[in-house]
Amino acid sequence: LFSVGLAFGPDRLRALSGKALRAGFFDALALPLGFLLGLLAGLDLRGALLLAGVIYISSSAVIVKLIIDLRRAANPESEVVLGVLVLEDLVIALLLALLGGQGPAGFLGGVALALAYFLFARFLGPRLVRFMEGLSVELVLLLGAAFTAGTALLFHAVGASEGVGAFLSGVIAAGLGLRERFEHLFGPVRDLGVALFFLVVGAEALGLLRGLTPWAVGLVLLGLLLKLPLNHLGGARAGLGRKRRLYSALYLVPRGEFNLVLGALALGQGYPLVAQVAVLLVLVSIPLGALLIRYAPEIAQALYPEARPRKRAKRAEGSPVK
């Protein structure tokens, strides 16, 4: 979550284009639709909100890596997709702040603590950055880790979500201009943390999916299909062409890190159905989404074949001219 916040940053929010905002609005319609699905599945308001978040959020880590590996970062649909991912991370961070704490008191405590952190970054952050410029790599790494862990503990102490505290640490670091340095230093730590995170989830997934119900399978299928028309429409509103809007819809299929965070939160709060949907959605959507992103041009060509120019019939030699 610290890495997600570091990649997010206020500068990325200011750089969002109107195209991404329009596409993000239609993408966010998955939240109320997912909430209604949760109510129809018999969940209470809190469980329905958790399910809505699971259905809504896509995997920034998976999608960005695939876009870079396939060398499509300069494509017009990639700009829209990356902007939508930034908005999704912001919305889910707010949802975690609302649902991950200990009631309204925890939420208010987290908001007050976040404001204090932003004031600190505004007035004392530049001095801290100048101080860190003269420190060794090891000390900067230790300070960054201590800042992240300490912020998470503070948020937990006031009854808020420690995950939001870690996310806020990344946002503050990015806002202070430390993104490149921290990404370089924390890259191996992040990769190890992600690997351990998925290892733990995978070890728990088998027991969780043993009691899989038809409701859970149906919600996973609906979750996969729900966002496709919304993102296709959002791509159209963003001004993308017919094929490019299809690309943008296919790019946002994979689910990942935030889905599992929400699933773990749901399991801890007594919503095993939401946890099952979250885990199964990740297991299905990542390989499926990777294939859809890889073969998006071929899929678009099959659905929207180019109109072939008609060949003019050649006049036969010696034919009479009328």
Side-chain angles (χ1 to χ4, degrees):
L1 288 174
F2 169 75
S3 298
V4 173
L6 195 63
F8 174 69
D11 56 330
R12 298 279 171 86
L13 187 60
R14 288 192 295 267
L16 287 178
S17 64
K19 295 179 181 180
L21 292 174
R22 288 192 293 271
F25 169 77
F26 285 93
D27 178 68
L29 293 178
L31 278 172
L33 293 176
F35 180 75
L36 290 176
L37 283 176
L39 294 179
L40 291 174
L43 298 170
D44 59 16
L45 296 180
R46 192 181 189 89
L49 275 175
L50 286 168
L51 180 65
V54 166
I55 290 176
Y56 165 66
I57 185 68
S58 300
S59 174
S60 301
V62 173
I63 296 169
V64 170
K65 180 171 178 54
L66 285 169
I67 288 176
I68 293 174
D69 289 348
L70 294 171
R71 299 180 180 179
R72 297 177 186 172
N75 293 359
E77 73 277 3
S78 297
E79 175 195 352
V80 173
V81 168
L82 295 176
V84 169
L85 291 174
V86 170
L87 293 173
E88 285 187 355
D89 289 344
L90 177 61
V91 171
I92 291 300
L94 295 175
L95 190 63
L96 280 174
L98 181 64
L99 300 177
Q102 301 172 8
F107 176 74
L108 292 176
V111 170
L113 200 55
L115 291 175
Y117 265 74
F118 280 116
L119 288 175
F120 166 79
R122 173 67 177 83
F123 295 105
L124 298 178
R127 296 181 183 178
L128 179 63
V129 172
R130 287 194 295 271
F131 170 73
M132 291 176 62
E133 289 176 353
L135 299 180
S136 65
V137 170
E138 291 82 2
L139 280 176
V140 172
L141 184 62
L142 288 174
L143 282 175
F147 177 65
T148 304
T151 303
L153 286 172
L154 279 176
F155 269 73
H156 180 74
V158 300
S161 169
E162 60 268 24
V164 175
F167 178 83
L168 178 67
S169 301
V171 173
I172 295 294
L176 293 176
L178 297 171
R179 176 185 289 118
E180 288 76 14
R181 193 172 187 183
F182 275 1
E183 282 181 342
H184 174 71
L185 293 176
F186 280 90
V189 181
R190 177 200 60 210
D191 294 341
L192 177 62
V194 170
L196 291 175
F197 176 71
F198 279 99
L199 177 65
V200 172
V201 171
E204 295 178 348
L206 184 60
L208 184 65
L209 296 179
R210 280 175 184 164
L212 198 63
T213 62
W215 260 118
V217 176
L219 288 172
V220 169
L221 294 176
L222 288 173
L224 286 172
L225 296 174
L226 183 65
K227 285 187 61 171
L228 286 173
L230 294 176
N231 292 131
H232 191 274
L233 184 58
R237 293 293 299 165
L240 297 177
R242 188 168 57 174
K243 288 187 177 181
R244 299 290 179 180
R245 70 185 70 158
L246 176 64
Y247 295 171
S248 67
L250 296 177
Y251 282 14
L252 291 165
V253 167
R255 274 42 166 215
E257 56 282 356
F258 265 128
N259 302 78
L260 297 177
V261 171
L262 289 169
L265 182 63
L267 189 62
Q269 295 183 358
Y271 301 102
L273 175 64
V274 179
Q276 288 179 336
V277 172
V279 172
L280 187 58
L281 191 58
V282 170
L283 293 176
V284 172
S285 68
I286 287 183
L288 175 63
L291 288 173
L292 291 175
I293 293 173
R294 166 62 182 84
Y295 294 104
E298 289 79 2
I299 295 172
Q301 182 62 34
L303 293 176
Y304 309 120
E306 297 289 345
R308 296 179 179 178
R310 296 180 179 178
K311 296 181 179 180
R312 293 182 180 179
K314 295 183 180 180
R315 292 178 178 175
E317 293 183 2
S319 59
V321 178
K322 296 183 181 179

